[in-house]
Amino acid sequence: MPPQQHIEKKEFMTNNNTRRQFFAGAAASVAGLAVARSALAGLPEPVIQTSVDTAPPLIPSTGRPYNPVVTLNGWTLPWRMKDGVKEFHLVAEPVVREVSPGFKVNMWGYNGQSPGPTIEVVEGDRVRIFVTNKLPEHTTIHWHGQRLPSGMDGVGGLNQRAIPVGKTYVYEFEARRPGTFMYHPHADEMVQMAMGMMGMWVTHPKTKHPHISEVDRDFCFLLNAFDVEPGSKTPKINTMLDFNIWCWNSRVFPAIDTLNVRLNDRVRIRVGNLTMTNHPIHLHGHEFLVTGTDGGPTPPSTRWYEVTTDVAVGQMRQIELIADEEGDWAMHCHKSHHTMNAMGHEVPTMIGVDHRGLVRKIQKVAPDYMLMGERGMADMGEMQMPIPDNTAPMMTGTGQFGPLEMGGMFTVFKVRKDQKPGDYKDPGHYKFPEGTVAQEWTGAPLPVVRPKASADTSQATAKAIKPSAKGMSH
Ligand SMILES: [Cu+2]
């Protein structure tokens, strides 16, 4: 492990200690104090994260070593080692997530954030997870994709009693299979997932695995979606398909952190989908291989190169590439509606409509009226039109050449020669070598050649063969 990463880890732990809050819910009751203390003595204190920044990788201080992941705008949950068992404490609770600066949404999540923290363990680890329910209704956690005893699978009613409000349940199993997994409730699922309850789980291989390569950078994030009416603060929970806030880890572009790598790094990106639709995830400038699915690492003989991989509902895809092209490369969902924020759905097509005169008339009764979309929608990236309070702009993000006209599921993959190993900081805009940027043609214009009008003015006729024609009869 490079020494630099150890320093980062120390800083991370120090930061965490200052952010750490103690689980003291029951201790507030004077009468129950002694009981509460002894009952809590067995629980690891939950770590609460207040920052929406991408936390540095959490280098393991106990247990088998591994190369940790970096969760975009997220963090990894520290554990306590007790008699050889890794103990984690998740607290299901209402949280306020900053989806983008100035846009805060009332969600439900874990340990202060939605999504919850990433859980990282090693194949063969015995894992004990305490789950405390501070929601206003019961919950469970399902460990999506794991091999485990049926009674630990977390489907309320089927595998266990739902965890009542205020109670703590404990899950315990061995992490048998290396790979990328997710966790989410299996109790009032539609509501609890629409409110943001989910997280990632990474099980690292315990020894060198023939189908798992050692990488320089290992990123992960979840695809999630919300329906938040512009100007409101709480997601609508009955929405089935018409979501308007398309997120990576409950953030929208330009508030999604960039993926910053060093030139020629081997990079792994793990993406899980807990929305209600599929997302074709597209990376510019590089080809990648899909090296893992929910079923674990893919055998190398089954892999082929892609630039887009579809991540269906409830699926996980793990891609790998060598970042050997320097620059700023877009990475996004290829459904263009998913790279827009709220208001993207109900705006009529205005292209080609002549509004001259009409705007002035409307402005007499509605002075704030603005014309939208007469020449396409690109103007909206620049207009800075007034939007309701607590709403993400429909599309924003400014690059060195102007507005990107993007929102939602979009970020930038930044490849730099001088990005230090272990440094995940945003290096800023790419400095394009001279003469390598598309620019205006300033040479002589091409002569305009028009075809001569045809002398034949007779009408074209279409000949249709009817089903009763030869060969079609019975
Ligand atoms: Cu999408």
Side-chain angles (χ1 to χ4, degrees):
M1 230 47 91
Q4 194 169 356
Q5 293 190 329
H6 282 289
I7 294 163
E8 277 184 9
K9 187 245 162 177
K10 258 188 202 152
E11 277 172 15
F12 176 72
M13 291 306 286
T14 313
N15 287 344
N16 246 334
N17 281 331
T18 59
R19 286 176 191 145
R20 204 167 273 200
Q21 295 173 8
F22 292 89
F23 176 66
S29 147
V30 178
L33 194 61
V35 180
R37 270 200 186 135
S38 62
L40 289 175
L43 276 174
E45 63 190 48
V47 181
I48 307 295
Q49 180 62 273
T50 55
S51 167
V52 290
D53 297 337
T54 300
L58 179 64
I59 310 287
S61 51
T62 52
R64 289 192 189 92
Y66 59 83
N67 190 27
V69 298
V70 166
T71 308
L72 277 195
N73 296 101
W75 57 299
T76 289
L77 187 62
W79 64 86
R80 172 177 85 178
M81 191 67 95
K82 198 179 178 200
D83 306 325
V85 180
K86 279 185 181 167
E87 290 188 336
F88 296 87
H89 192 169
L90 284 172
V91 179
E93 59 183 355
V95 302
V96 176
R97 175 72 169 180
E98 186 197 78
V99 172
S100 68
F103 179 38
K104 291 188 174 174
V105 178
N106 297 321
M107 294 187 187
W108 289 357
Y110 301 96
N111 300 49
Q113 297 291 337
S114 160
T118 299
I119 292 178
E120 285 186 82
V121 299
V122 181
E123 177 189 3
D125 276 355
R126 184 105 197 135
V127 181
R128 188 176 296 136
I129 308 130
F130 298 91
V131 180
T132 298
N133 182 6
K134 292 169 103 181
L135 297 171
E137 66 169 3
H138 69 211
T139 190
T140 66
I141 300 189
H142 164 58
W143 313 98
H144 187 114
Q146 306 259 11
R147 292 261 179 169
L148 36 64
S150 182
M152 293 292 158
D153 200 41
V155 179
L158 178 67
N159 304 117
Q160 66 167 94
R161 278 178 200 282
I163 309 168
V165 175
K167 299 288 184 199
T168 297
Y169 271 44
V170 58
Y171 294 86
E172 186 168 332
F173 53 92
E174 184 192 323
R176 285 160 62 184
R177 208 157 60 76
T180 310
F181 307 101
M182 304 184 273
Y183 65 87
H184 63 80
H186 235 297
D188 197 13
E189 206 174 319
M190 182 192 81
V191 168
Q192 296 191 5
M193 289 175 65
M195 289 295 285
M197 298 192 73
M198 52 192 71
M200 287 201 104
W201 175 303
V202 174
T203 302
H204 297 277
K206 64 179 170 196
T207 49
K208 226 171 149 26
H209 190 290
H211 301 166
I212 302 175
S213 40
E214 283 165 23
V215 295
D216 301 296
R217 314 234 173 190
D218 200 338
F219 296 95
C220 68
F221 60 91
L222 282 172
L223 309 167
N224 55 356
F226 300 92
D227 183 13
V228 185
E229 192 108 306
S232 75
K233 285 194 163 139
T234 305
K236 291 196 262 178
I237 48 164
N238 292 317
T239 299
M240 193 166 80
L241 291 171
D242 207 10
F243 294 89
N244 61 1
I245 307 292
W246 298 101
C247 299
W248 289 0
N249 273 0
S250 306
R251 295 277 281 184
V252 294
F253 183 76
I256 300 172
D257 280 344
T258 53
L259 286 78
N260 313 311
V261 311
R262 180 180 170 88
L263 185 66
N264 295 323
D265 269 355
R266 181 182 284 269
V267 180
R268 179 159 48 222
I269 305 170
R270 308 164 190 254
V271 185
N273 180 2
L274 288 175
T275 72
M276 294 300 121
T277 189
N278 60 316
H279 302 279
I281 299 299
H282 177 49
L283 175 67
H284 292 212
H286 298 80
E287 314 82 47
F288 58 74
L289 293 168
V290 176
T291 59
T293 70
D294 318 62
T298 55
S301 62
T302 65
R303 299 172 185 173
W304 64 83
Y305 287 99
E306 296 260 31
V307 294
T308 303
T309 190
D310 196 27
V311 190
V313 181
Q315 280 190 336
M316 192 287 307
R317 287 290 177 271
Q318 182 181 290
I319 65 170
E320 269 173 48
L321 65 140
I322 305 286
D324 55 2
E325 294 288 347
E326 239 196 321
D328 283 349
W329 303 105
M331 182 180 169
H332 59 97
C333 172
H334 217 292
K335 286 186 175 171
S336 48
H337 284 227
H338 295 176
T339 50
M340 297 286 239
N341 293 326
M343 309 196 296
H345 292 291
E346 277 145 35
V347 179
T349 299
M350 292 296 197
I351 296 169
V353 177
D354 186 353
H355 289 77
R356 273 169 299 181
L358 182 65
V359 175
R360 247 165 293 132
K361 279 183 201 156
I362 294 175
Q363 280 172 342
K364 279 184 192 153
V365 285
D368 288 341
Y369 181 81
M370 289 176 84
L371 187 60
M372 288 161 71
E374 196 182 26
R375 299 177 299 167
M377 300 281 271
D379 288 354
M380 300 189 67
E382 266 173 2
M383 272 201 296
Q384 303 292 322
M385 50 182 290
I387 55 171
D389 283 350
N390 200 54
T391 304
M394 188 165 154
M395 49 193 199
T396 49
T398 307
Q400 52 188 313
F401 303 110
L404 270 73
E405 302 162 3
M406 289 282 168
M409 294 177 155
F410 182 99
T411 192
V412 183
F413 183 69
K414 298 190 172 188
V415 184
R416 298 289 187 277
K417 230 187 344 255
D418 43 10
Q419 189 82 8
K420 301 247 168 0
D423 180 6
Y424 288 85
K425 275 198 298 294
D426 184 349
H429 293 317
Y430 180 56
K431 288 186 187 67
F432 293 89
E434 188 138 352
T436 65
V437 175
Q439 55 178 328
E440 186 185 352
W441 169 252
T442 53
L446 287 171
V448 180
V449 181
R450 291 179 203 276
K452 279 205 180 110
S454 166
D456 180 8
T457 54
S458 65
Q459 283 185 334
T461 51
K463 282 180 192 143
I465 298 167
K466 295 189 177 153
S468 58
K470 227 184 185 175
M472 294 293 287
S473 56
H474 298 274

